[in-house]
Amino acid sequence: MSRRGEASGTVAQVGSSPRRIHYAGRKIARVRSIADLRARAHKLMPRFVLEYLEGGAGQEATLDRERKAFAEWRAMPFTLSDEACRDVSAKMLGRDASLPLAIAPTGLNGIFMRNADVALAQGAAEAGVPFIQSTMSNDRMEDVAAVPGLRHWWQLYVFGGEEIWQELVDRADRAGCEALVVTSNAQIFGQREWDERNRTASGFPNLPGLIDAARHPRWLVTTLSRGLPEFSNVIDFVPKDERSFFDSANWIREQMPKSLGWDDLARIRERWCKPLFLKGVLNLEDVSRAIEHGVDGVILGGHGGRQADWAVSALDILPRARELSGDRIALYISGGIRRGSDILKARALGADAVLTGRATLYGLYAFGAAGVSRAIELLRSEMMNELGQYGVPNLDALSPDLFVREDRLPL
């Protein structure tokens, strides 16, 4: 389904009637799905912010594939099964989580609201799942780490000289971060045409974008009333004459080393003694290489469809990746998670856990930290319901045999 179709509120149904309308109002208790949170976010966001949240690379084929991959798997439910005691809790790095999910690292969340990263962390702590903070976040690492009850992970972009990533890794250790997540597939930015159309050569929103933003007073008050956000965790590395919002973003992008390789990962592994994940893997050979380089986990995914266009989805290669890795590492996937059934499919096909980015960002923009925890609770409750529908008691009872691809449906 195209982004335009989703934004208009259409859903899969028999024919086109009745037209389904998602709830986009102010009462969080009435929210019944991630689609409701998405509808409210779309209603309240300026157009250029919406494009930033939803856009993919190029023709957006990878973005589209991330959702279609989940739609291709169908359950074969058991019946007459004991469904009285269902459980969707899981272990993540040996610790309990309310469901096998972490909030994915997303940069520039300050464009949605002030202190967005702290709000995401608060929602994650309330829901009992980890929050992975991005290098390109807008709240200080130490401020996020101060959120009570938070399982705080740090995502690392490698840019500039080695002293930068070394300092970030050491700060993450001092801040008590539980794990380090190294992103490997963003050294060259994807072709984000939607972003280029909405901005001037200097990076500032174009005139139509500014006019549209002026029509969204809520966004102006919650986001821009104290000025543009800054990249708080890396701004001290930026030359003083390039520390404005757009200049700093461009400077950091230009400092991304095109030569980032496996030797760099080995040096990071040597410096970081806690759990280490490699994120952005979509090739099975790279899964094997990551294991050889001593990572504790691999996160399969295509950067939310924003990098390589026409790439496979994480779910496409998940079963083979599980075969290759066995039980030697944790195997997570990211991209396209919108329903609890998506998480169950991922678990059945070999994932230990999933990451979600957009689903919790919809909740963030719609209702702040409460919307983040609401998004996660919706996914958890959907998982509980679907477990009962499938006739299995818990996540360990899931297996590939419970699902079949549409192109292999038994006659």
Side-chain angles (χ1 to χ4, degrees):
M1 182 182 293
S2 70
R3 288 193 294 121
R4 178 176 296 179
E6 290 183 338
S8 66
T10 58
V11 295
Q13 54 194 289
V14 179
S16 59
S17 179
R19 181 172 178 267
R20 302 290 172 81
I21 305 297
H22 293 296
Y23 179 71
R26 299 179 179 182
K27 297 181 180 179
I28 194 170
R30 291 191 58 189
V31 172
R32 291 292 178 266
S33 67
I34 299 299
D36 286 347
L37 293 172
R38 185 175 189 265
R40 179 165 173 79
H42 280 215
K43 176 182 176 181
L44 298 174
M45 279 183 180
R47 175 72 187 190
F48 82 93
V49 178
L50 175 59
E51 287 280 11
Y52 174 75
L53 173 61
E54 297 285 33
Q59 196 169 327
E60 300 187 322
T62 303
L63 183 69
D64 187 51
R65 180 62 197 164
E66 288 181 343
R67 287 300 302 140
K68 286 183 176 176
F70 285 101
E72 289 178 358
W73 290 91
R74 302 286 174 162
M76 297 183 291
F78 295 104
T79 193
L80 296 179
S81 301
D82 186 353
E83 300 165 4
C85 299
R86 286 163 284 141
D87 183 17
V88 297
S89 63
K91 294 286 187 182
M92 297 182 69
L93 298 183
R95 295 176 57 188
D96 291 336
S98 61
L99 69 162
L101 177 143
I103 295 181
T106 50
L108 191 52
N109 293 326
I111 200 172
F112 303 123
M113 59 181 289
R114 287 192 306 273
N115 302 126
D117 301 294
V118 169
L120 284 164
Q122 290 169 337
E126 177 69 22
V129 301
F131 168 58
I132 309 173
Q133 186 181 0
S134 171
T135 294
M136 300 303 290
S137 57
N138 301 116
D139 290 331
R140 292 177 66 253
M141 182 193 307
E142 291 78 10
D143 293 337
V144 171
V147 171
L150 176 65
R151 295 184 63 178
H152 189 197
W153 300 5
W154 180 256
Q155 177 269 338
L156 178 68
Y157 280 126
V158 176
F159 70 95
E162 289 208 354
E163 70 280 359
I164 295 179
W165 72 255
Q166 289 173 358
E167 172 60 22
L168 289 171
V169 166
D170 292 348
R171 276 182 64 192
D173 189 25
R174 293 194 298 269
C177 291
E178 181 181 6
L180 185 70
V181 177
V182 178
T183 294
S184 63
N185 65 338
Q187 302 313 110
I188 299 175
F189 264 43
Q191 297 181 6
R192 304 175 186 181
E193 301 163 8
W194 46 268
D195 195 33
E196 295 171 2
R197 293 189 191 102
N198 288 330
R199 299 182 185 277
T200 64
S202 64
F204 205 74
N206 58 26
L207 182 58
L210 292 174
I211 294 172
D212 178 67
R215 296 171 179 161
H216 292 77
R218 178 184 184 270
W219 180 78
L220 293 172
V221 170
T222 61
T223 307
L224 286 191
S225 60
R226 298 180 188 174
L228 291 169
E230 70 173 17
F231 302 106
S232 301
N233 294 290
V234 296
I235 196 66
D236 289 342
F237 301 117
V238 179
K240 290 183 178 180
D241 61 346
E242 300 194 60
R243 290 186 180 179
S244 68
F245 174 72
F246 294 107
D247 286 346
S248 62
N250 290 333
W251 185 87
I252 293 166
R253 184 181 301 186
E254 291 168 359
Q255 301 304 309
M256 294 285 190
K258 308 301 185 289
S259 60
L260 184 70
W262 293 99
D263 290 343
D264 299 291
L265 180 66
R267 288 193 291 275
I268 294 169
R269 171 73 286 181
E270 184 177 356
R271 195 174 190 93
W272 178 261
C273 298
K274 298 176 185 177
L276 175 69
F277 285 80
L278 184 65
K279 180 178 181 290
V281 176
L282 283 179
N283 188 289
L284 295 171
E285 291 186 12
D286 286 339
V287 175
S288 298
R289 290 192 188 101
I291 295 172
E292 293 169 1
H293 281 76
V295 302
D296 299 285
V298 164
I299 301 171
L300 305 175
H303 213 88
R306 293 176 183 260
Q307 289 298 99
D309 203 9
W310 295 100
V312 297
S313 78
L315 198 71
D316 290 327
I317 65 168
L318 173 59
R320 284 288 292 122
R322 183 84 275 174
E323 290 177 13
L324 283 172
S325 62
D327 295 327
R328 290 178 289 173
I329 59 168
L331 188 61
Y332 295 2
I333 73 167
S334 67
I337 301 295
R338 299 292 187 277
R339 287 283 186 179
S341 57
D342 299 334
I343 303 174
L344 295 181
K345 291 174 184 179
R347 281 284 300 208
L349 297 177
D352 294 299
V354 306
L355 272 59
T356 183
R358 289 184 176 94
T360 41
L361 287 176
Y362 300 148
L364 171 78
Y365 196 81
F367 296 102
V372 176
S373 57
R374 179 63 171 164
I376 298 169
E377 175 54 29
L378 287 168
L379 293 172
R380 193 196 72 81
S381 64
E382 289 173 359
M383 290 175 69
M384 287 286 288
N385 185 278
E386 289 298 299
L387 274 185
Q389 303 299 333
Y390 297 164
V392 294
N394 52 50
L395 300 182
D396 291 336
L398 295 170
S399 75
D401 294 337
L402 184 62
F403 292 90
V404 60
R405 285 180 62 104
E406 280 190 334
D407 58 358
R408 300 174 189 170
L409 289 174
L411 299 177

